[in-house]
């Protein structure tokens, strides 16, 4: 089978398409014939070694974190899935490999595809859906009636986070580009700010929760609009001591993350705010809950109009790394 692989961490974002054996499955796994795999900014972080303290890989490494496809084979201890099922998944971080013709995936990480989505659309939902679900439920522990702001929330993450947050009874404010306004409001956002003409720091205050999608340059601005006792959750800014402790990393790693995140923790604590960082994990049970939300709200994620084959993987990676895709970038099989 064909698989997109790297042989080392490198600042050069480039993969090779290699012929490799179809993977054998363990008793708790299923073999999936991949129909579509998504490319995310996470691919760049993995390929450059930026997250190797969180998860280090051996090489050659087949890249790719989310896919949709058809169950080809089922392990002896797997229940609930059958050959021929349409499924989707965010692969377990310790065993990625979505950009390949076949993938062996733990059954605990997969779910049946939402009935209203194509393979490409389903593959685009798994990672962002789980990030939003875990962020709202586990990291922020949100309470109905409170306000959440998602700067840069007009992209693929916001497409899942907005309806999930509304379902939990939150007032949802989003900033993004002008062309995404109508789509984001239709998903349930209560207020939308055009980042090109409106400065959220001047317009917002006493916000309960912020989910940061933009990174370190926005950190101080995001803190400034939160009320004391609020929480700031980042997908981009960087891990800290709490992140390492929650994941029960060894002491030496906890020390490193404490040092790396100390500046963010100090700045947040000074304003009575709790800073958290999320690195999404696979969870089939949560994916099933997301499936229900997607079907009930008829959510259809935006996809970049051009589809790529596995042979065009470097073109697709470059688009995500340096371009401005108009939706999730997909490799189709």
């Amino acid at each position: 089978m064909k698989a997109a692989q790297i042989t080392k961490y490198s600042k050069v974002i480039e993969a090779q398409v290699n012929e490799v054996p179809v993977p054998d499955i363990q008793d708790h796994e299923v073999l999936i014939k991949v129909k579509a795999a998504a490319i995310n900014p996470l691919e760049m972080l993995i390929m450059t070694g930026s997250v190797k303290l969180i998860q280090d890989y051996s090489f050659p490494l087949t890249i790719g974190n989310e896919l949709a496809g058809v169950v080809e084979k089922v392990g002896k201890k797997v229940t609930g899935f059958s050959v021929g099922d349409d499924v989707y998944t965010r692969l377990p971080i310790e065993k990625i490999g979505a950009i390949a013709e076949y993938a062996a995936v733990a059954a605990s990480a997969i779910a049946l595809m939402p009935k209203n989505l194509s393979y490409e659309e389903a593959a685009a939902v798994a990672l962002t859906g789980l990030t939003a679900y875990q962020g709202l439920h586990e990291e922020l522990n949100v309470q109905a009636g409170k306000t959440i702001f998602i700067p840069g929330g007009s992209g693929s993450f916001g497409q899942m986070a907005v309806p999930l947050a509304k379902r939990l009874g939150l007032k949802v404010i989003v900033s993004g580009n002008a062309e995404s306004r109508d789509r984001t409001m239709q998903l349930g956002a209560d207020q939308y700010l055009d980042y090109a003409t409106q400065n959220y720091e001047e317009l917002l205050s006493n916000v309960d929760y912020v989910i940061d999608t933009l990174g370190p340059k926005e950190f101080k601005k995001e803190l400034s609009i939160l009320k004391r006792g609020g929480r700031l959750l980042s997908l981009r800014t960087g891990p800290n001591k709490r992140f390492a402790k929650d994941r029960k990393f060894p002491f030496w790693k906890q020390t490193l993350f404490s040092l790396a995140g100390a500046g963010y923790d100090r700045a947040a604590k000074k304003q009575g705010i709790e800073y958290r960082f999320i690195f999404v994990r696979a969870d089939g049970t949560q994916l099933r809950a997301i499936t229900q939300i997607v079907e009930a709200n008829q959510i259809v994620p935006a996809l970049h109009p051009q589809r790529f084959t596995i042979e065009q993987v470097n073109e697709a990676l470059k688009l995500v790394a340096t371009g401005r895709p108009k939706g999730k970038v997909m490799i189709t099989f």
Side-chain angles (χ1 to χ4, degrees):
M1 70 167 192
K2 291 176 181 174
Q5 297 186 318
I6 58 172
T7 55
K8 63 179 180 179
Y9 298 127
S10 172
K11 289 182 179 175
V12 179
I13 303 297
E14 193 170 284
Q16 299 84 45
V17 178
N18 297 325
E19 282 289 341
V20 300
V22 174
D24 295 321
I25 58 168
Q26 298 178 28
D27 289 351
H28 67 285
E29 292 180 323
V30 301
L31 182 68
I32 300 173
K33 184 177 177 65
V34 181
K35 294 289 189 179
I39 292 184
N40 296 278
L42 178 57
E43 267 62 72
M44 317 309 145
L45 297 175
I46 289 172
M47 293 172 75
T48 57
S50 300
V51 295
K52 66 180 177 182
L53 274 178
I54 298 173
Q55 178 63 51
D56 201 1
Y57 293 99
S58 55
F59 300 100
L61 172 68
T62 301
I63 61 171
N65 284 272
E66 60 181 340
L67 62 80
V70 182
V71 174
E72 187 95 348
K73 194 183 292 184
V74 177
K76 294 174 186 174
K77 294 182 180 177
V78 172
T79 57
F81 296 100
S82 305
V83 172
D85 283 346
D86 290 330
V87 295
Y88 73 132
T89 180
R90 183 270 190 267
L91 282 75
I93 191 62
E94 66 275 5
K95 191 179 180 183
I96 61 172
I99 306 175
E101 292 181 299
Y102 292 90
V105 186
S108 60
I110 68 175
L112 296 175
M113 264 172 46
K115 291 182 173 61
N116 62 311
L117 299 184
S118 66
Y119 291 116
E120 290 89 349
E121 291 161 347
V125 162
L127 193 142
T128 49
L130 285 170
T131 304
Y133 191 96
Q134 290 167 21
L136 292 164
H137 285 273
E138 299 173 2
E139 300 291 347
L140 294 177
N141 192 23
V142 299
Q143 296 174 12
K146 295 198 171 184
T147 301
I148 189 166
F149 174 53
I150 309 173
S154 60
S156 58
F157 173 73
Q159 289 178 74
M160 292 305 304
V162 169
L164 278 167
K166 288 305 296 180
R167 189 182 173 101
L168 293 169
L170 296 171
K171 178 184 177 182
V172 181
I173 307 170
V174 174
S175 71
N177 55 48
E179 54 264 35
S180 299
R181 179 189 183 90
D182 290 346
R183 185 183 74 222
T184 307
M185 294 298 287
Q186 285 168 8
L187 289 170
D190 297 283
Q191 186 178 351
Y192 191 90
L193 305 177
D194 178 352
Y195 79 91
T197 60
Q198 295 172 289
N199 182 355
Y200 68 79
E201 192 176 18
E202 296 172 355
L203 297 170
L204 303 178
S205 61
N206 284 325
V207 172
D208 297 288
Y209 315 108
V210 169
I211 300 183
D212 160 60
T213 73
L214 301 174
K217 68 182 186 300
E218 295 293 309
F219 186 76
K220 287 183 179 177
K221 285 176 66 176
E222 291 163 351
L223 284 183
S224 74
I225 66 167
L226 280 159
K227 63 173 62 169
R228 291 191 74 82
R231 285 186 173 181
L232 168 56
L233 173 66
S234 181
L235 318 183
R236 298 279 301 276
T237 294
N240 60 348
K241 182 178 181 179
R242 175 182 288 278
F243 175 83
K245 288 186 76 170
D246 286 351
R247 277 143 195 83
K248 299 181 172 61
F249 284 161
F251 180 74
W252 68 270
K253 270 195 186 182
Q254 290 191 29
T255 303
L256 282 177
F257 283 114
S258 296
L259 291 169
Y264 302 122
D265 285 338
R266 272 196 304 271
K269 189 176 181 181
K270 193 174 179 181
Q271 293 182 226
I273 292 158
E274 189 176 290
Y275 170 65
R276 290 176 171 242
F277 176 78
I278 188 170
F279 196 81
V280 66
R281 69 180 189 282
D283 192 313
T285 301
Q286 291 181 353
L287 261 189
R288 287 194 286 278
I290 290 163
T291 298
Q292 293 177 354
I293 294 164
V294 168
E295 290 178 345
N297 292 277
Q298 290 295 293
I299 297 168
V300 179
L303 305 179
H304 186 73
Q306 182 182 359
R307 300 292 184 273
F308 298 89
T309 65
I310 192 169
E311 286 83 3
Q312 297 169 308
V313 65
N314 287 319
E315 194 181 333
L317 285 165
K318 185 177 180 181
L319 175 63
V320 176
T322 63
R324 284 187 171 270
K326 298 178 174 69
K328 194 68 80 82
V329 174
M330 305 303 305
I331 302 288
T332 58
F333 295 85

